Amino acid sequence: MTPHRDNLDPAAPRRLRAVVYTRISDDPEGREVGVDRQLIDGRALCARRGMDVVGEFCDNDISASEFSDEPRPDYDAALAMIREDKADVLVAYSSQRITRRPDQWEELIKLHRATGMTIATVVTGDIDLSTAAGRRITRINYAIGAGEPDEIRERILRANKHLVEVLGEPSNGVKYGWRRGMARQVEVNPEEANVVQEIARRVASGESMNSVKKDLNARCVPTPHMAEIARKARAGELTRGKKPTRRGIPHPVVEEIGSRVVAGEGLTSIVADMYRRGEKIPEWSHASLRSLVLRPLNAGRIAYGGRLVPSTFPRILDEETYQAVVTILGDESRAPRRPEGMRHREIKHFLSGVTFCGKPAQEGVRVLEDGTRVCGARMRVRTDSPTRRAKTPERQLVKQTTYQSYSCPRCNGTSCRTFQAEAAVERAVLTLLTRPDAPAMLSGDPAEVAAQQARIEGLAERRRRTARAYADGAYEDEEYADLLAGIDAEIADARERKRQAGPRHELARWLDGEAEATWATSDPGERRDLVAALMTVVILPGGRGRKGFDPDQRLSIQWK
């Protein structure tokens, strides 16, 4: 039977069981002041009504709007107690603290019909779900509440658009590499900018991201997140809280970093000490390096709304270096790295992932130079430990020597020993790089590069003239947007043609006349990037009864 609202009267013979739910949308510092106030008021309401508090649940720093898909575990736990008949009343500070989503209010109405639960709030009164009129008022109220996040979102988007398009500043504020100087003007932070420039220079010269990552961590170079903590500490924005900060750094560690920064200690020495003590602080990773060095803001542009907008921030990277980095890290032919956190992150075999299965297949995805369609799956390293029957009366199984092979994970139709394929590819690569004419062969077409650069500069000037004409009222908004889209498409085409005609920046370090020495000192990741830039390697089936390894018969090398 569904209880009436009068059941909330403390004079009722049966004392109702209540769960108190508190929530606040934004608490970035984890202080929980807002939810603590809500809890105090919720307890007081239960005491006045004569209800027993059987559970207290809190979702701090979690939005309940329809634009958020973040789970609210304590909200679900509170409703679970009601479904299990462990509570009768849901108590909150206001209806909007419970939820702003219409679909969740409809779920609460269904829960009331199934269990008879009621809702009591501190400031918006009791919510009547037992009558048609009460449900109608509830639906009107939650429709109004659901519209508030829409209005807030529109104001934020409009402010961000003004910030980006009029002021030329990114909507997420001043980040790693810049700082506010005199009169709040944005200027380059030399220490942080040097790190960005070093990463870009090393990537553009052909060094692997794995090598750069290990070197920065070995030198205890602070990550952007550590720099952000230091910046907040100097500004007095670090406060005590109970929750871990973003990326899981415990607050005691954050507070220690902040106090040492304020005391004048260098961030590098703090990082070195934290590493030595084994504290949980951010390290450089492949993902953090990539996101940092690929920011359009490094080259004076802001990525906004699917397009690039000129920025007033001073550049950290020149255009040539930035385009070289984008070309190298955005090249799909580069072998994919294993994600951070997986086992065996370090590359051990430089052909893994950049060689392809050459077994003939009608549904294959790759075609050889002679027109044969083959499987085309990327070959991976497989470790085998074969067994044989011992020559004894018992004929027990004896484990033989373990070996590794490149094998096709899709069709299992092609394999060869790793050392055999790697030795053959190494000879082919070094033969090419040690040729006297190798630099000329790999230097591209300088005339085409100059022509495309001139085209880019002409299009950029045309874009500026169009913008000035628009400012003078020569074009309507839609006409101006169409013109810019056409010019930007031509600029993108010219840059791609320039990239294809230009020298390969990732090969620069291999063309200094010491290719063999560079190969000997390089790691497998760097060798793999070189192979991916120079050639496509296809491993062909060996055939039945064939012994030995003949590179001419087993490898198909297509030079790029």
Side-chain angles (χ1 to χ4, degrees):
M1 179 178 178
T2 302
H4 193 267
R5 292 175 63 237
D6 293 340
N7 283 355
L8 296 178
D9 185 357
R14 178 175 176 269
R15 292 175 63 89
L16 297 177
R17 301 162 298 173
V19 288
V20 180
Y21 176 72
T22 58
R23 183 190 65 81
I24 195 169
S25 299
D26 188 19
D27 186 15
E29 296 171 353
R31 293 182 294 174
E32 300 189 355
V33 175
V35 291
D36 286 345
R37 289 195 299 264
Q38 294 178 31
L39 181 60
I40 292 172
D41 292 339
R43 288 171 177 170
L45 175 64
C46 293
R48 291 196 304 270
R49 298 287 188 89
M51 294 186 289
D52 295 327
V53 177
V54 295
E56 295 176 348
F57 301 92
C58 172
D59 285 320
N60 189 47
D61 196 21
I62 300 178
S63 173
S65 77
E66 60 182 331
F67 300 108
S68 172
D69 57 359
E70 188 174 2
R72 292 193 289 156
D74 274 30
Y75 175 77
D76 295 336
L79 297 190
M81 285 194 67
I82 295 173
R83 290 191 185 94
E84 296 169 3
D85 195 25
K86 297 179 180 178
D88 309 306
V89 185
L90 176 63
V91 176
Y93 183 76
S94 69
S95 61
Q96 294 185 359
R97 294 307 91 203
I98 298 173
T99 183
R100 293 179 183 271
R101 294 176 52 177
D103 59 326
Q104 291 185 345
W105 274 112
E106 292 298 331
E107 291 176 3
L108 289 173
I109 291 174
K110 292 178 181 179
L111 183 62
H112 163 78
R113 288 171 175 166
T115 65
M117 60 87 69
T118 53
I119 301 175
T121 68
V122 175
V123 296
T124 55
D126 300 340
I127 298 176
D128 180 15
L129 302 179
S130 62
T131 64
R135 291 190 292 272
R136 184 183 304 113
I137 293 174
T138 299
R139 290 186 172 105
I140 293 173
N141 288 336
Y142 74 58
I144 296 173
E148 183 179 343
D150 275 340
E151 296 174 358
I152 296 173
R153 182 170 180 267
E154 286 181 359
R155 292 197 298 269
I156 292 174
L157 291 178
R158 183 66 188 90
N160 289 344
K161 184 176 182 180
H162 176 82
L163 193 67
V164 172
E165 296 184 348
V166 178
L167 302 182
E169 296 188 5
S171 58
N172 58 353
V174 179
K175 294 299 182 181
Y176 188 86
W178 295 272
R179 65 188 179 191
R180 294 280 184 185
M182 300 296 294
R184 303 292 295 169
Q185 292 295 318
V186 177
E187 62 184 21
V188 171
N189 184 325
E191 184 178 353
E192 296 174 357
N194 287 340
V195 176
V196 178
Q197 292 165 354
E198 176 190 347
I199 296 170
R201 184 177 62 255
R202 294 171 69 173
V203 170
S205 67
E207 188 172 351
S208 70
M209 297 281 277
N210 186 56
S211 174
V212 176
K213 175 192 72 174
K214 291 193 295 186
D215 178 61
L216 293 179
N217 286 329
R219 288 159 44 197
C220 300
V221 176
T223 64
H225 189 42
M226 291 292 292
E228 180 184 357
I229 293 174
R231 183 161 47 244
K232 287 185 176 181
R234 297 187 187 100
E237 298 176 0
L238 288 182
T239 54
R240 179 178 296 275
K242 299 177 182 179
K243 291 177 64 178
T245 65
R246 195 161 51 93
R247 302 185 189 177
I249 308 177
H251 260 288
V253 176
V254 174
E255 291 170 352
E256 178 186 347
I257 295 171
S259 62
R260 293 170 70 173
V261 167
V262 172
E265 187 174 351
L267 192 56
T268 301
S269 64
I270 296 175
V271 171
D273 179 55
M274 293 282 181
Y275 282 166
R276 186 169 53 252
R277 289 159 42 191
E279 296 287 356
K280 186 178 182 180
I281 61 173
E283 296 184 355
W284 289 97
S285 65
H286 183 277
S288 63
L289 285 174
R290 184 183 180 88
S291 62
L292 177 65
V293 79
L294 284 179
R295 296 179 304 182
L297 196 59
N298 293 334
R301 295 185 289 274
I302 303 172
Y304 179 75
R307 55 195 176 92
L308 295 177
V309 181
S311 170
T312 57
F313 277 27
R315 289 180 173 223
I316 291 180
L317 301 177
D318 60 83
E319 186 65 26
E320 183 178 358
T321 302
Y322 179 71
Q323 290 299 329
V325 171
V326 171
T327 298
I328 293 172
L329 297 184
D331 185 1
E332 294 182 356
S333 66
R334 286 172 57 89
R337 299 286 191 219
R338 287 179 180 269
E340 293 296 327
M342 290 183 65
R343 271 187 84 209
H344 309 303
R345 285 183 289 184
E346 306 302 331
I347 300 170
K348 297 181 180 180
H349 298 277
F350 68 86
L351 292 183
S352 178
V354 295
T355 54
F356 302 90
C357 173
K359 181 180 179 180
Q362 292 182 353
E363 299 180 354
V365 296
R366 186 170 293 274
V367 179
L368 302 183
E369 292 178 335
D370 61 3
T372 304
R373 182 171 292 277
V374 297
C375 171
R378 294 181 184 271
M379 304 286 278
R380 300 297 181 186
V381 175
R382 183 183 66 192
T383 302
D384 292 317
S385 300
T387 59
R388 63 176 177 82
R389 293 290 180 181
K391 294 181 179 180
T392 61
E394 294 81 10
R395 299 287 290 173
Q396 69 268 26
L397 291 174
V398 177
K399 195 173 183 179
Q400 297 189 115
T401 304
T402 298
Y403 64 87
Q404 293 178 314
S405 301
Y406 288 112
S407 179
C408 176
R410 180 186 297 170
C411 68
N412 293 317
T414 305
S415 67
C416 72
R417 301 290 178 87
T418 54
F419 72 90
Q420 293 173 331
E422 290 171 0
V425 172
E426 177 181 345
R427 285 195 300 271
V429 170
L430 294 180
T431 298
L432 173 68
L433 295 180
T434 53
R435 289 176 53 172
D437 58 346
M441 292 172 56
L442 302 174
S443 62
D445 186 350
E448 179 66 13
V449 170
Q452 293 301 327
Q453 180 60 34
R455 181 187 172 200
I456 292 171
E457 293 173 358
L459 289 168
E461 178 59 29
R462 179 178 156 197
R463 196 182 196 280
R464 286 191 289 269
R465 290 197 305 268
T466 303
R468 288 194 293 268
Y470 171 70
D472 294 337
Y475 303 113
E476 296 295 333
D477 291 348
E478 293 184 1
E479 185 180 8
Y480 174 62
D482 292 340
L483 288 172
L484 283 191
I487 295 173
D488 290 342
E490 291 189 54
I491 292 175
D493 177 70
R495 284 176 175 163
E496 177 61 21
R497 292 176 181 272
K498 177 185 175 183
R499 183 192 71 81
Q500 293 177 356
R504 298 177 182 176
H505 297 275
E506 65 269 28
L507 302 180
R509 67 189 294 258
W510 299 93
L511 299 175
D512 57 1
E514 300 292 337
E516 294 183 356
T518 305
W519 181 276
T521 57
S522 61
D523 62 38
E526 294 170 317
R527 296 179 183 180
R528 187 165 77 167
D529 292 340
L530 174 65
V531 170
L534 285 178
M535 62 178 71
T536 298
V537 182
V538 178
I539 299 180
L540 305 174
R544 290 182 177 274
R546 182 177 295 173
K547 295 184 178 181
F549 181 83
D550 183 357
D552 296 332
Q553 298 293 327
R554 296 297 312 280
L555 297 181
S556 172
I557 296 178
Q558 303 174 18
W559 297 96
K560 295 182 178 180

